Amino acid sequence: MICALGSAVCFGTASVLQAVAARAAAGPGSGAGVDPALLLRAVRQWRYMAGLALDGCGFVLQIIALRSLPIYAVGAALAASLAVTAVVAARLLHVRLSRTEWAAVGVVCAGLAMLGLASGGEGDRTGSTALRWWMLGIALGVLLIGAAAGRLPEKPRALVLGLGAGCGFGVVEVAVRLIDDISPSALVANPATYALLLGGGAAFLLLTSALQRGSVTTATAGMVIGETIGPALVGVVWLGDRTREGLGWLAVTGFAVAVAGALALTRFGEAPADTPGPAVPGAR
């Protein structure tokens, strides 16, 4: 659980840097949908690159956590990165948190504590070949979602981009568990390898677009839902994730509480245009 929480800290802090860079990289010709050129402009800024470095550290910690914890516990911890983002914004960017938002941070921590007490080890199933191909198909679907999002009005577009990004991150969570042999020949032959790379890349592309345009608060809510519920179900149903004996109710409660607290903090996915100096942080 320490690695999962460390991953959330890395992702939450990286959000502060990435949202500022994404907003600054927006050009007058930026479209409404997913804009690959936006990502290319963003990576030229040191803040975005520093955020990517933290994301890299968070990803390594996430992989370690997924090798010893159920997907539902890791997913809830990653959603808690919004609480980290809120605290970092309050301390470093002088963003004021209301009492309700501080309470939401406490709720997230309480939910994670319940999950930590109730979580068992990772499931003992390796997953079928069909599941590996399904993950690759979902990763391709995330790209199609991004391409179609540009035709939607602003509010549904933000939700679709967020859900798409969340599904992409969820594919990464599941794909890590489906890679049981890391020898070069096995990696090349495993569809989960390509699902991990494609899902992660597509998720970052959609998220970068969401940080720059539309209601990112809505997009962040969609992302939290997409990266927690689906992967948690896959872990329980197909990979054998379980709780400690007699503590299933506590795990379910902790998961719901942590995700609800994260959803209450989704405004920290958006950078208000009227904020002087550094912008308020964005999601992940």
Side-chain angles (χ1 to χ4, degrees), residues 67 125-137 139 171-172 174-199 239:
R67 290 296 184 181
R125 302 178 196 168
T126 58
S128 64
T129 300
L131 181 59
R132 290 171 169 81
W133 283 108
W134 269 106
M135 289 300 104
L136 180 56
V171 166
V172 171
V174 176
V176 168
R177 287 279 298 277
L178 296 176
I179 299 175
D180 49 2
D181 187 345
I182 59 173
S183 64
S185 59
L187 287 174
V188 171
N190 192 343
T193 302
Y194 306 102
L196 187 152
L197 297 174
L198 184 59
L239 298 178

Side-chain angles (χ1 to χ4, degrees), residues 150-164:
R151 302 179 182 180
L152 298 174
E154 180 177 325
K155 289 185 177 180
R157 180 174 69 238
L159 181 60
V160 168
L161 285 173
L163 280 172

Side-chain angles (χ1 to χ4, degrees), residues 44-281:
R44 297 173 186 171
Q45 303 187 42
W46 72 266
R47 290 184 181 89
Y48 198 88
M49 295 306 296
L52 285 180
L54 283 172
D55 280 330
C57 293
F59 182 65
V60 172
L61 292 173
Q62 177 185 0
I63 291 177
I64 296 173
L66 285 166
R67 290 296 184 181
S68 58
L69 288 174
I71 292 177
Y72 63 79
V74 178
L78 295 181
S81 64
L82 284 175
V84 176
T85 301
V87 173
V88 170
R91 295 296 299 271
L92 299 184
L93 301 182
H94 308 293
V95 176
R96 292 182 60 85
L97 272 68
S98 66
R99 292 182 179 178
T100 300
E101 287 165 338
W102 277 118
V105 172
V107 165
V108 169
C109 294
L112 292 177
M114 286 187 278
L115 274 174
L117 291 172
S119 297
E122 65 170 337
D124 54 3
R125 302 178 196 168
T126 58
S128 64
T129 300
L131 181 59
R132 290 171 169 81
W133 283 108
W134 269 106
M135 289 300 104
L136 180 56
I138 293 173
L140 289 170
V142 170
L143 283 177
L144 295 177
I145 288 174
R151 302 179 182 180
L152 298 174
E154 180 177 325
K155 289 185 177 180
R157 180 174 69 238
L159 181 60
V160 168
L161 285 173
L163 280 172
C167 289
F169 289 127
V171 166
V172 171
E173 294 173 27
V174 176
V176 168
R177 287 279 298 277
L178 296 176
I179 299 175
D180 49 2
D181 187 345
I182 59 173
S183 64
S185 59
L187 287 174
V188 171
N190 192 343
T193 302
Y194 306 102
L196 187 152
L197 297 174
L198 184 59
F204 270 111
L205 180 59
L206 267 64
L207 183 57
T208 300
S209 296
L211 288 172
Q212 186 269 327
R213 54 175 67 89
S215 173
V216 186
T217 300
T218 302
T220 304
M223 185 191 71
V224 169
I225 293 172
E227 74 176 346
T228 54
I229 297 177
L233 290 175
V234 171
V236 171
V237 176
W238 283 284
L239 298 178
D241 287 347
R242 293 292 180 267
T243 64
R244 294 181 181 178
E245 188 68 27
L247 293 181
W249 65 272
L250 185 61
V252 172
T253 302
F255 180 85
V257 167
V259 172
L263 289 173
L265 294 168
T266 52
R267 85 170 177 96
F268 290 93
E270 187 163 13
D274 58 352
T275 301
V280 177

